[in-house]
Amino acid sequence: MAVESSSSHQFMGRSRQSFLNQDISPDSSVKSRDWDTTSRWSEQSNPEIVSPSTSSNWKHTHSSTPPGNRNFQKARHMQWVFQLVDVAEGLMAKMYKLNQKLDYPEPNTFQFSDSFWKAGVIPNFPKLCMHITKKFPEHPGKLQLERVDKLGLDSLYENVEAYLENLEPWLMLLLDLMTFREQALRLILDLSSTVITLLPHQNSLILHAFMDLFCAFVRVNLFSDKVPRKMIVQVYNLMHTMLRSGRDYEFYHRLVQFIDSYDPPLKGLHEDLNFVSPRIGERAQDLANVNGHRDWVLLGYLVCPSELLRITGIDIAMAVLKENLVLSLYRDECILLHEEYQLYVLPKILESKKMAKAGRAKQKEADAEYNIAKQVEKMICDVHDQAISCAEGIHRERRILLKQEIGRMVLFFSDQPSLLAPNIQMVFSALALARSEVMWYFRHIGVVSVKSKATRIVPVEIDSSDPTIGFLLDGMDKLCCLVRKYVSAIRGYALAYLASAAERIRFLLGSPGMIALDIDAELRNLFQQVIGCLEKSPKPQGEHVSTATADLSDFRKNWLSVLMVVTSSRSSINIRHLEKATISTGKEGLVSEGNAAYVWSRSVDELEDQLSTHACVKQLYYYRQHLTVVFRNTMFGPEGRPQHCCAWLGVASSFPDNATVSVPEEFLKIGRDAVSYVESLIESIMGGLEGLINILDSESGFGSLESKLLPEQAAIRMNHAAKVAMPSSKSMKSNSDLPLPGNESEPANRDTIKMLEAAVQRLTSLCSVLNEMEPICILNHVFVLREYLRDCVLNNFRRRLITILKIDRDLQRPSVLESLVHRHMNIVHLVEQHVSMDLTQGMREVLLSEAFSGPIRGLHTFEKPVQNTGTAISIICDWYLENVVKDVNGAGILFTPIDKCFKSARPVGGYFAEAVTDLSELKAFVRLFGPYGVDKLDGMIREHLTALLNCIDTTLRSNKEYLEALSAHMHNSRERDYYLKQVHELEPLINFSIQAGQALCFTSLLAEAAGQVLDANTPLLFSLLSDFTKHLPASLPEREDIRRLKTLTNTLGVTTEHDIALVNSILLDMVGVGDVTWGLLPYLYATCMTSNIWNTSAFNVSTGGFNNNVHCLARCINAVIAASEFVRAERKELERQLLSQQQSNRNGTELKELEAELQNLEGITSVEVNIKASMKIFIKCASTIILQSWSDSNRSPLVAKLIFLDQLCELSNYLPRSTLEVHVPYAILRSIYQQYFENSVPTLVLISPSRRHSLGIPLSHVPSRNGQFYSDHTVESGEGATSSTLKFAAQRKSPLLDLESSSDADIKPIGGGVRLSGPLDYTGMRKVSFLDTPSSDGTSGPSPLRRFVMSRSGPITYK
């Protein structure tokens, strides 16, 4: 085997030598069989990759130039250069795809993952494949594979055709690599040997093309080392021999020689490029091609180590090596630069050093070479450690410098756009430098290197929160925008320059020096074609420059042909002759003028291509994970700028450009990844936008400023100042904890203000940039950032609304909720000033969607749409229904008629009931959620009322027999008492009725709040509805449209008889209401006077109600009795009309209509009479039961019952007081009320705190008279309890004071009967604490307290 291997190496050595000695003229190369294979390389070429002179310019050379022309053959060299660079791109794309498919194998260390074997490329027989790979280059047929894996070999035989088909495309890739190596190397050696100069100041255009080809050739071969070439060739040939009866694949031996000569690749490159070495030192200095120059140096010295021994080589290499740790091969595939130099360059240097040392004694040149080799050796060993420690610092300083300079450049050219065109090349250089630094940063993230003087692994420290990356991307984006904005001016300037260049070139061609050169006809013809192309270029004509579609590709093609001729060593007239002949004119030389014209011509028709070349960061696609991390770390950091987000997003539009024609499936994959990247960044940007809004909307944001404006703050300071000023008060500490207004603006306390100012500035800047950013187009996806901003703001408002609805699992007060919503809307208005969108309308839509849970009864006729809406209103309505109307937590909810609110004995969640149920809170609720919210809450209470009325109906029907008997024997005390005891379910009835009354009270407050809000905001509509209800024609039955409108006006608080109208609308939908049984309703409620509930009932003058809410019973009785009579009358009228229609005829139609109208008026009048009669029956029966049940042993409930009857008369429009006076004289009632006021004493009255804020000011902050502070607690009085800030109540005509009142009353009968007049004897006396704070809006109804407190009749004597 060793002999065979040695012979193969000798054969390859002879092959390389014969290859180098063969004719490399263009004619022979074109005719060679291998060159013909380039026809199938078209699939490797990427038409989107454009060379500096545009490879498309050379596509039609055959048709425009005679094939036998010598200059044409020179020009063909450039065509081949661009084509081979394009082919190299396609080959590397295929190798990259193969590596991805095989899970990035490591063929040199024989480490293959499970995914490698399951990829379907290599047969899944690891033992077999690994054995023949390790034995490379030995022939697989000589390896006795049966002993290695016989089962695998048999299975391979069985499916050899399928395996061969899967592996064949990748073997073709190796064939393409071999052919590319042969043709590219031939062209490189040809150019290197024939071009007389590649100095940047003389022949920069040919130099750049040569650099691109050279670097592409080296990269392809280095990258091929990452592909399992040996395994592919060995396995394919093994399967080919199985299928073709032992015959080898026809190119097997050539492939083996190729792979073996490039194992490792640098071994073959050192030998192949040995003749190119002298060209490596010709380093270019053009900043616009900084990446190409860097790769030219790093790759050149890597494959041509001998050039480091030149005098300038060590300085050039040192400058570049200490700034880089990795060398990019293709996309994100890199090699560790210093490790490669130490493995492959250092041995060559040591070999040269050894040879120089051996010859030092003979000649001085060897001594100098030895010293240089020693310096290079030290440089290679030391520069690695320098790069690890210094590279990041060098590039960080460079990024900072570029950040500043590009920022100044953007400002300068924005202010002076006329100077952009003359300095366009400087702009391209700045873009190239910035792009280079950005790509260096991401390529070095996560790099791990091994120090040369230590065996430990050292990670390269790259700051993932470097803000300069955002500045560079943003600066590049702005510069590109400026170039695109002023493209007309740039084209105009370039065309003007080309016009003058044509004149100068013509002048130089006619100069004496050029005439003396005696240029041949072919070269002179090329010069004339160049001048002709320049003179035919369009002339700038003001604003029409931008529409000029000049194609200067012919000029560039001809000029490159000129350069190839005059730089050829075989040409009689070369570039040096031309420069000497024209430089004496005092102007630029002919070649310099042509090169400059070539550069400016690209600013006419290839301006966008140049931007793509110098500013394209499409390869960031392969570092998108790091890109996302750096973006999130820097965007909203202390040094980040949110306005840079557009630049981070803009890079994604170039990601699909990474796809190549040779791998078509890449296009969709890269496009999907780009879309995911943009979506991820947009999510982060919108998250940052939400964060900025929420910072401003927090209690530490604008909330901290608003809290300083609360009235409570002024009250606390005034109380504190008053206490300090009191001479009797103890010395108090400094009030430093109570800062003065404006304290936050002092320099020492400006941190909060600075934070808010910074947040506002970032928010407005971010919104402005998002508003102005152009849509991002990726494949068929279009991302419009303005729309994302709108959705983000509105969705954040929706979430914020749901969040602030509750505080500590309890409902937020509506007034506080309203203030928080206003604060959030003010922030959105701030955003709205910097975007061209109506966000206010969007917020209204959000509020509408959160308030809408279905059509409004009485207004809409459509069905509820199937969608998830009304979340916020459902939360609020559920809380009010459960905690206030139903009082499921047993907080002792009481309705106080005087204050028009509900109060509680203990907090309902975080507040007492009055803090969330008074009129101002309900008005805030209405302003927030509008009529939809009112209708939702009213509808839920309506359902609750319906259930309660059904319970009342059930109780009524279950007691029908006893009630009928009771109505017949009401005047017989014995029978009456008997049947009263037979009535069952009395306590549940009272409980249901009180709950119904409580629900009616709440709906009445809600309707009143809605009416006041409607009147304040839309007075015309409120007046229209109010006038309509006043002049609405009364009819029985009512028309459907009128009934719907009445329902609407009742919900909005426009009608006066709210309770009756609501109960009536419910009873109309119930079956059986209005029949004979419902006529017994007054008797049923009269039996309630025998309930035990009266034993615990006590009237509280401070609230105008009872301590157990029994006053709500009166409201229920009034509404249910009246509504039932209306329902009874309407149903009777419907029956009558039905009978009348059956008996009517056509001749009597008009008469029937007149009779129906008269009967309708009579029916309405009769309904009112029936209601009054029913109420009179109730009063009569109730009074009888009350007074007849009085005895010495049961006197306490008498006062409560009499006050209850008086309240019913006060409440009902159908129950005049004269009806009650027949049974209970006024004197008794006056004496009862007067007793509450005559013994009044001064007391501390509790007032409610300001409802400006949810947190409010606790009582612990309010000082008492002796300088102490009260804690938050409830101060209880006789029958009620309230909590809030204390103040003194001034005694007035009807003071609200604590009085001595009787809880037990002894009413002594006269002659065993009921005493209708005379004093009532009260023996049990007790204190009653009460409040009488009238309604702030003066809308409270008449109170029985005010009616009797001024009575001038004498008091009844109490003993």
Side-chain angles (χ1 to χ4, degrees):
M1 299 300 293
V3 174
E4 182 177 348
S5 177
S6 175
S7 62
S8 65
H9 283 298
Q10 293 175 2
F11 173 81
M12 285 185 290
R14 292 194 301 270
S15 175
R16 176 178 290 107
Q17 187 65 30
S18 62
F19 168 72
L20 295 177
N21 292 334
Q22 63 181 277
D23 183 16
I24 57 176
S25 65
D27 292 334
S28 63
S29 62
V30 171
K31 294 178 182 179
S32 66
R33 181 176 61 87
D34 293 337
W35 187 265
D36 293 339
T37 59
T38 58
S39 61
R40 66 183 180 86
W41 284 1
S42 59
E43 66 175 12
Q44 314 285 3
S45 303
N46 189 354
E48 297 179 0
I49 302 174
V50 184
S51 67
S53 60
T54 313
S55 58
S56 60
N57 300 339
W58 298 87
K59 290 181 180 178
H60 305 289
T61 308
H62 286 286
S63 60
S64 60
T65 309
N69 194 315
R70 179 169 56 86
N71 293 330
F72 163 72
Q73 298 299 340
K74 297 289 184 182
R76 281 290 300 271
H77 277 329
M78 295 305 297
Q79 177 190 6
W80 296 332
V81 168
F82 301 138
Q83 182 180 5
L84 286 174
V85 171
D86 212 357
V87 169
E89 182 80 12
L91 290 174
M92 286 190 287
K94 283 196 171 183
M95 288 189 287
Y96 188 87
K97 176 188 175 183
L98 178 60
N99 264 9
Q100 281 185 322
K101 197 169 186 179
L102 297 179
D103 193 24
Y104 302 98
E106 296 183 13
N108 294 327
T109 59
F110 299 99
Q111 294 181 6
F112 306 103
S113 64
D114 293 338
S115 302
F116 175 88
W117 300 107
K118 296 177 181 178
V121 176
I122 305 295
N124 193 3
F125 305 109
K127 290 183 179 180
L128 196 64
C129 297
M130 293 274 287
H131 181 73
I132 61 177
T133 302
K134 291 178 180 179
K135 295 297 182 179
F136 180 88
E138 295 185 31
H139 195 283
K142 302 177 181 181
L143 298 179
Q144 298 180 354
L145 300 178
E146 295 84 357
R147 297 182 179 181
V148 178
D149 186 3
K150 187 177 187 308
L151 293 178
L153 192 63
D154 294 341
S155 179
L156 189 64
Y157 269 111
E158 295 176 0
N159 301 282
V160 64
E161 292 185 1
Y163 291 135
L164 193 70
E165 182 179 357
N166 293 336
L167 192 58
E168 186 172 7
W170 307 113
L171 185 79
M172 295 297 105
L173 175 61
L174 296 183
L175 283 175
D176 290 341
L177 287 172
M178 182 178 66
T179 307
F180 171 79
R181 174 252 180 182
E182 295 171 354
Q183 305 304 332
L185 183 59
R186 181 182 292 115
L187 185 58
I188 289 173
L189 296 178
D190 189 19
L191 290 174
S192 179
S193 61
T194 58
V195 176
I196 61 174
T197 179
L198 287 176
L199 294 177
H201 63 281
Q202 291 182 343
N203 198 10
S204 60
L205 298 179
I206 305 299
L207 172 62
H208 291 156
F210 182 78
M211 284 165 45
D212 291 341
L213 177 60
F214 179 87
C215 294
F217 176 75
V218 176
R219 280 195 172 94
V220 167
N221 286 283
L222 290 178
F223 194 17
S224 65
D225 195 38
K226 296 179 178 290
V227 176
R229 299 171 296 170
K230 300 176 183 178
M231 185 176 293
I232 292 175
V233 170
Q234 294 286 78
V235 172
Y236 186 87
N237 191 65
L238 174 64
M239 293 188 294
H240 189 275
T241 56
M242 293 178 179
L243 196 63
R244 301 299 169 87
S245 302
R247 285 188 302 170
D248 290 335
Y249 177 58
E250 56 180 327
F251 294 107
Y252 170 69
H253 295 286
R254 290 187 61 191
L255 286 171
V256 169
Q257 294 171 8
F258 164 64
I259 294 172
D260 191 53
S261 63
Y262 273 75
D263 184 25
L266 282 172
K267 167 191 168 184
L269 290 172
H270 285 166
E271 296 181 9
D272 289 342
L273 299 176
N274 187 38
F275 292 95
V276 189
S277 293
R279 297 297 189 181
I280 302 303
E282 299 174 352
R283 185 187 179 192
Q285 302 293 332
D286 186 7
L287 291 178
N289 293 280
V290 60
N291 287 330
H293 300 157
R294 182 198 61 211
D295 296 344
W296 167 243
V297 171
L298 294 176
L299 291 174
Y301 287 131
L302 181 62
V303 299
C304 302
S306 60
E307 291 305 305
L308 284 171
L309 299 176
R310 297 174 64 181
I311 297 176
T312 58
I314 187 172
D315 296 330
I316 296 174
M318 181 71 177
V320 180
L321 284 172
K322 70 178 181 180
E323 296 180 2
N324 298 274
L325 287 165
V326 298
L327 179 62
S328 175
L329 295 180
Y330 183 69
R331 295 178 177 175
D332 59 338
E333 291 288 347
C334 301
I335 59 173
L336 295 175
L337 183 63
H338 294 274
E339 281 77 354
E340 297 294 322
Y341 265 77
Q342 291 174 5
L343 286 175
Y344 300 105
V345 176
L346 189 57
K348 295 286 184 180
I349 301 300
L350 293 176
E351 182 180 351
S352 299
K353 176 184 172 183
K354 183 178 180 181
M355 294 175 60
K357 184 178 180 180
R360 289 176 67 185
K362 299 180 181 180
Q363 52 186 351
K364 294 182 180 180
E365 294 181 0
D367 187 56
E369 184 179 349
Y370 174 80
N371 292 331
I372 294 176
K374 190 175 181 180
Q375 293 178 15
V376 172
E377 177 189 3
K378 186 177 185 301
M379 182 270 293
I380 294 177
C381 295
D382 295 344
V383 75
H384 187 192
D385 296 340
Q386 293 182 27
I388 292 176
S389 58
C390 302
E392 165 59 11
I394 294 172
H395 284 275
R396 187 189 305 112
E397 293 178 0
R398 193 173 297 167
R399 290 195 299 270
I400 294 174
L401 176 62
L402 281 173
K403 161 193 162 184
Q404 297 170 351
E405 293 302 323
I406 290 179
R408 294 190 185 103
M409 195 178 292
V410 170
L411 293 176
F412 178 78
F413 288 129
S414 298
D415 186 57
Q416 300 290 336
S418 60
L419 298 178
L420 178 62
N423 296 282
I424 189 64
Q425 300 304 322
M426 181 179 69
V427 173
F428 290 153
S429 298
L431 290 173
L433 278 173
R435 174 181 177 272
S436 175
E437 289 303 315
V438 170
M439 295 306 305
W440 185 97
Y441 176 86
F442 285 103
R443 281 172 181 155
H444 282 75
I445 289 182
V447 171
V448 178
S449 183
V450 181
K451 282 196 172 184
S452 59
K453 297 181 180 179
T455 58
R456 62 189 181 92
I457 297 177
V458 179
V460 181
E461 296 182 359
I462 302 293
D463 185 10
S464 61
S465 59
D466 188 352
T468 58
I469 301 300
F471 280 96
L472 291 181
L473 290 175
D474 182 65
M476 293 169 63
D477 183 64
K478 289 181 178 177
L479 280 179
C480 292
C481 290
L482 283 174
V483 172
R484 293 186 177 99
K485 182 178 181 181
Y486 298 106
V487 63
S488 300
I490 297 171
R491 287 176 177 171
Y493 184 89
L495 288 172
Y497 182 90
L498 292 177
S500 63
E503 297 178 359
R504 290 193 296 271
I505 292 175
R506 183 177 292 279
F507 170 77
L508 292 174
L509 287 176
S511 64
M514 289 295 296
I515 296 175
L517 283 179
D518 191 19
I519 302 175
D520 60 23
E522 292 183 2
L523 183 57
R524 186 173 296 277
N525 183 41
L526 283 176
F527 278 120
Q528 292 300 326
Q529 291 180 13
V530 167
I531 296 175
C533 292
L534 291 177
E535 291 178 344
K536 291 178 182 179
S537 61
K539 302 299 183 289
Q541 299 176 358
E543 66 273 6
H544 300 291
V545 173
S546 61
T547 60
T549 56
D551 184 6
L552 297 175
S553 58
D554 290 338
F555 159 71
R556 291 190 290 273
K557 178 191 68 174
N558 292 329
W559 181 250
L560 286 177
S561 299
V562 169
L563 289 179
M564 289 300 298
V565 171
V566 299
T567 58
S568 173
S569 60
R570 302 188 181 101
S571 176
S572 59
I573 304 296
N574 60 42
I575 190 171
R576 297 186 180 94
H577 298 152
L578 293 177
E579 287 297 301
K580 289 180 180 179
T582 56
I583 199 65
S584 60
T585 60
K587 300 180 180 180
E588 291 287 339
L590 180 61
V591 176
S592 299
E593 284 288 352
N595 288 341
Y598 181 97
V599 172
W600 278 105
S601 70
R602 300 196 66 200
S603 297
V604 177
D605 58 345
E606 291 186 354
L607 190 60
E608 193 64 35
D609 295 336
Q610 291 191 89
L611 284 178
S612 300
T613 301
H614 300 303
C616 180
V617 287
K618 63 181 182 180
Q619 289 188 359
L620 288 179
Y621 162 75
Y622 302 100
Y623 305 95
R624 58 189 181 278
Q625 293 182 350
H626 298 309
L627 197 67
T628 305
V629 171
V630 176
F631 167 79
R632 290 174 178 170
N633 290 342
T634 60
M635 173 59 70
F636 299 100
E639 297 183 22
R641 297 292 185 273
Q643 58 266 33
H644 294 167
C645 64
C646 295
W648 292 88
L649 288 169
V651 301
S653 58
S654 63
F655 286 173
D657 296 340
N658 287 289
T660 58
V661 176
S662 58
V663 188
E665 60 270 19
E666 277 189 337
F667 186 74
L668 290 178
K669 179 183 182 303
I670 294 177
R672 287 193 297 266
D673 292 340
V675 170
S676 300
Y677 165 80
V678 172
E679 291 175 346
S680 174
L681 256 63
I682 290 178
E683 182 181 355
S684 299
I685 293 170
M686 297 307 148
L689 177 65
E690 291 182 9
L692 291 173
I693 293 176
N694 293 337
I695 286 174
L696 296 176
D697 193 27
S698 64
E699 295 303 324
S700 60
F702 286 158
S704 63
L705 301 181
E706 290 181 355
S707 64
K708 293 177 171 45
L709 304 178
L710 293 177
E712 287 85 348
Q713 294 284 346
I716 292 173
R717 178 162 290 281
M718 291 175 64
N719 288 338
H720 189 87
K723 289 180 177 297
V724 173
M726 291 177 62
S728 60
S729 64
K730 298 180 180 179
S731 61
M732 302 187 65
K733 296 181 180 180
S734 174
N735 55 355
S736 58
D737 57 334
L738 298 174
L740 290 170
N743 178 68
E744 68 279 356
S745 299
E746 296 180 2
N749 303 321
R750 281 186 56 84
D751 291 342
T752 303
I753 300 299
K754 288 180 180 179
M755 183 271 292
L756 292 179
E757 290 176 350
V760 169
Q761 192 274 333
R762 289 194 174 199
L763 177 63
T764 54
S765 299
L766 178 60
C767 294
S768 299
V769 171
L770 293 178
N771 180 64
E772 297 170 1
M773 184 177 181
E774 295 294 328
I776 301 174
C777 301
I778 302 175
L779 299 183
N780 56 346
H781 293 73
V782 179
F783 298 91
V784 183
L785 271 297
R786 295 173 64 253
E787 298 300 326
Y788 279 93
L789 183 146
R790 182 180 187 275
D791 293 343
C792 171
V793 171
L794 299 184
N795 291 334
N796 182 59
F797 173 63
R798 189 189 307 274
R799 288 190 295 269
R800 178 68 175 163
L801 179 63
I802 300 299
T803 302
I804 62 178
L805 276 178
K806 288 195 172 185
I807 176 173
D808 296 333
R809 299 182 180 180
D810 196 49
L811 184 70
Q812 183 68 274
R813 289 167 54 187
S815 59
V816 177
L817 181 63
E818 183 183 24
S819 68
L820 294 177
V821 169
H822 278 298
R823 186 172 74 193
H824 195 96
M825 293 188 72
N826 290 335
I827 298 173
V828 174
H829 290 160
L830 178 65
V831 173
E832 199 173 32
Q833 296 174 6
H834 297 82
V835 296
S836 54
M837 291 183 293
D838 187 2
L839 297 178
T840 304
Q841 180 62 29
M843 295 188 69
R844 293 194 183 103
E845 293 175 358
V846 171
L847 284 173
L848 179 62
S849 66
E850 292 300 323
F852 178 78
S853 58
I856 297 179
R857 291 184 306 277
L859 182 61
H860 299 147
T861 58
F862 60 86
E863 296 294 331
K864 178 182 177 180
V866 181
Q867 56 182 352
N868 296 325
T869 57
T871 304
I873 192 62
S874 297
I875 293 174
I876 295 179
C877 293
D878 289 340
W879 190 92
Y880 270 112
L881 183 64
E882 297 296 326
N883 293 277
V884 177
V885 178
K886 294 183 179 180
D887 191 16
V888 293
N889 295 323
I893 301 294
L894 299 176
F895 176 69
T896 58
I898 291 181
D899 294 331
K900 283 192 174 180
C901 70
F902 289 84
K903 294 186 178 182
S904 60
R906 61 176 181 273
V908 182
Y911 309 98
F912 287 92
E914 57 267 28
V916 291
T917 58
D918 70 346
L919 205 57
S920 61
E921 296 293 334
L922 293 178
K923 286 163 67 175
F925 168 82
V926 175
R927 285 190 295 267
L928 274 175
F929 298 102
Y932 286 107
V934 174
D935 184 73
K936 172 68 174 179
L937 184 52
D938 184 77
M940 295 178 68
I941 299 176
R942 180 189 179 92
E943 294 177 0
H944 177 57
L945 269 174
T946 302
L948 294 174
L949 291 176
N950 281 322
C951 294
I952 294 174
D953 178 68
T954 303
T955 305
L956 179 62
R957 297 184 183 280
S958 64
N959 289 289
K960 178 181 178 182
E961 180 181 353
Y962 305 115
L963 293 176
E964 288 176 346
L966 179 63
S967 64
H969 302 88
M970 179 58 68
H971 298 289
N972 188 333
S973 60
R974 179 176 297 178
E975 295 292 334
R976 181 183 67 236
D977 294 340
Y978 171 76
Y979 289 112
L980 284 174
K981 294 178 181 179
Q982 297 302 317
V983 175
H984 55 274
E985 298 181 357
L986 191 59
E987 299 301 330
L989 171 67
I990 295 178
N991 186 29
F992 295 148
S993 300
I994 290 176
Q995 290 186 45
Q998 190 170 342
L1000 290 173
C1001 293
F1002 190 88
T1003 56
S1004 178
L1005 287 177
L1006 182 63
E1008 184 178 353
Q1012 292 184 14
V1013 173
L1014 184 65
D1015 189 19
N1017 293 277
T1018 54
L1020 183 61
L1021 178 61
F1022 182 83
S1023 176
L1024 179 66
L1025 292 175
S1026 179
D1027 293 342
F1028 175 79
T1029 56
K1030 292 178 182 177
H1031 302 89
L1032 189 67
S1035 62
L1036 280 178
E1038 292 179 336
R1039 289 164 40 190
E1040 181 62 27
D1041 53 350
I1042 294 179
R1043 179 174 297 168
R1044 289 174 49 236
L1045 190 55
K1046 277 188 174 182
T1047 302
L1048 176 64
T1049 56
N1050 189 57
T1051 304
L1052 297 179
V1054 180
T1055 58
T1056 55
E1057 295 290 343
H1058 172 271
D1059 295 353
I1060 298 175
L1062 177 59
V1063 175
N1064 181 39
S1065 63
I1066 297 174
L1067 294 180
L1068 283 173
D1069 297 330
M1070 293 175 58
V1071 179
V1073 178
D1075 58 7
V1076 179
T1077 305
W1078 275 78
L1080 301 173
L1081 190 62
Y1083 297 99
L1084 177 64
Y1085 277 120
T1087 61
C1088 294
M1089 297 299 107
T1090 63
S1091 172
N1092 295 327
I1093 194 173
W1094 301 104
N1095 296 330
T1096 58
S1097 300
F1099 183 70
N1100 190 341
V1101 293
S1102 64
T1103 62
F1106 291 88
N1107 62 336
N1108 55 2
N1109 240 7
V1110 77
H1111 51 279
C1112 293
L1113 178 62
R1115 198 152 191 162
C1116 176
I1117 291 173
N1118 174 62
V1120 173
I1121 291 178
S1124 64
E1125 292 296 334
F1126 275 107
V1127 172
R1128 181 192 302 178
E1130 182 170 343
R1131 291 183 175 174
K1132 285 185 177 181
E1133 179 63 20
L1134 286 173
E1135 293 177 1
R1136 188 198 64 78
Q1137 289 181 4
L1138 182 62
L1139 294 174
S1140 177
Q1141 288 177 2
Q1142 295 175 356
Q1143 298 175 0
S1144 62
N1145 52 52
R1146 295 183 178 180
N1147 297 331
T1149 300
E1150 295 183 358
L1151 180 60
K1152 293 292 183 180
E1153 290 179 355
L1154 181 61
E1155 291 179 356
E1157 184 177 354
L1158 293 175
Q1159 290 177 358
N1160 183 35
L1161 294 176
E1162 293 176 357
I1164 294 174
T1165 305
S1166 65
V1167 170
E1168 296 179 352
V1169 172
N1170 292 338
I1171 295 174
K1172 292 179 180 180
S1174 297
M1175 298 298 293
K1176 185 176 181 181
I1177 292 173
F1178 169 75
I1179 289 295
K1180 178 181 179 181
C1181 295
S1183 300
T1184 303
I1185 294 172
I1186 292 171
L1187 297 177
Q1188 290 294 336
S1189 62
W1190 169 80
S1191 65
D1192 291 339
S1193 60
N1194 187 16
R1195 294 177 290 178
S1196 177
L1198 179 60
V1199 174
K1201 295 177 181 178
L1202 294 179
I1203 294 177
F1204 173 80
L1205 295 179
D1206 180 68
Q1207 285 189 334
L1208 180 61
C1209 294
E1210 180 78 18
L1211 184 67
S1212 177
N1213 293 329
Y1214 300 99
L1215 186 59
R1217 186 161 299 284
S1218 58
T1219 304
L1220 179 60
E1221 190 175 8
V1222 174
H1223 309 283
V1224 182
Y1226 279 160
I1228 297 178
L1229 295 173
R1230 275 196 296 269
S1231 64
I1232 292 173
Y1233 287 119
Q1234 190 171 1
Q1235 183 67 29
Y1236 279 99
F1237 292 99
E1238 282 187 344
N1239 298 328
S1240 62
V1241 294
T1243 185
L1244 287 173
V1245 180
L1246 301 176
I1247 64 171
S1248 298
S1250 170
R1251 297 181 175 88
R1252 177 65 180 82
H1253 200 271
S1254 63
L1255 298 179
I1257 305 299
L1259 289 177
S1260 59
H1261 295 164
V1262 182
S1264 64
R1265 296 183 61 181
N1266 57 4
Q1268 300 297 322
F1269 286 82
Y1270 290 104
S1271 61
D1272 294 343
H1273 64 286
T1274 300
V1275 181
E1276 297 187 358
S1277 58
E1279 289 81 25
T1282 56
S1283 68
S1284 56
T1285 310
L1286 295 176
K1287 75 172 184 179
F1288 284 104
Q1291 190 171 355
R1292 55 185 183 271
K1293 188 69 176 179
S1294 299
L1296 305 180
L1297 308 169
D1298 283 341
L1299 297 179
E1300 296 283 344
S1301 64
S1302 173
S1303 60
D1304 296 323
D1306 292 335
I1307 304 178
K1308 298 180 180 180
I1310 301 176
V1314 177
R1315 184 171 181 174
L1316 300 180
S1317 64
L1320 295 176
D1321 186 28
Y1322 290 85
T1323 58
M1325 303 296 291
R1326 59 178 178 144
K1327 282 190 175 182
V1328 180
S1329 175
F1330 58 92
L1331 301 172
D1332 187 15
T1333 305
S1335 177
S1336 59
D1337 54 5
T1339 58
S1340 60
S1343 171
L1345 307 181
R1346 291 192 292 274
R1347 180 187 308 145
F1348 296 111
V1349 73
M1350 297 300 295
S1351 175
R1352 298 182 181 274
S1353 60
I1356 298 179
T1357 304
Y1358 293 90
K1359 298 180 181 179

